[in-house]
Amino acid sequence: MDCARPGVTVDCLDPQRVAGFWGALPGREPGPSRDGRVCLGDHGDALPWLAFQPVPEPGAGKVRIHLDVAVGEHRARHGLGGQSAGERHDYDEGIVVVVADPEGHEFCLVQYH
């Protein structure tokens, strides 16, 4: 039986802008895209693929799932259009800083000890 290959789809108002942010974060180029969707990676990649699809309304409320991005040092990525959520957590395993992409999708930058 084949293992499922994970991927994440993000609803957003401006898929090009949000995909540009997420592509610059790990250094991934857009892959196959269609119908207004912008994809980073491909279903055959070793890394999970990310798809950004257009929706007519902005998100509301806290999303119950988010991505963690491991980094060597914490950067809020303001130059890419990201924003700090003003939240930091110190754990035995490492430090977690909550940030958001240009449309407010929260994610965590994680620095492991």
Side-chain angles (χ1 to χ4, degrees):
M1 176 180 217
D2 290 333
C3 293
R5 186 148 282 145
V8 176
T9 299
V10 177
D11 291 345
C12 47
L13 298 173
D14 186 346
Q16 290 290 337
R17 179 175 180 222
V18 178
F21 172 86
W22 282 97
L25 194 64
R28 292 183 84 183
E29 295 293 322
S33 302
R34 68 179 198 289
D35 301 326
R37 291 170 45 111
V38 178
C39 297
L40 300 175
D42 192 304
H43 295 286
D45 288 351
L47 294 173
W49 51 267
L50 298 173
F52 302 88
Q53 67 183 8
V55 295
E57 71 284 335
K62 184 169 178 76
V63 177
R64 308 262 316 163
I65 188 170
H66 67 269
L67 299 177
D68 287 350
V69 179
V71 295
E73 63 181 67
H74 286 294
R75 295 184 294 265
R77 301 289 182 161
H78 291 286
L80 299 174
Q83 51 205 325
S84 173
E87 202 174 320
R88 175 186 165 126
H89 305 278
D90 293 276
Y91 299 106
D92 291 339
E93 300 84 10
I95 301 165
V96 176
V97 175
V98 181
V99 295
D101 72 13
E103 288 195 8
H105 303 108
E106 289 185 351
F107 64 99
C108 294
L109 295 178
V110 181
Q111 181 182 5
Y112 294 103
H113 295 301

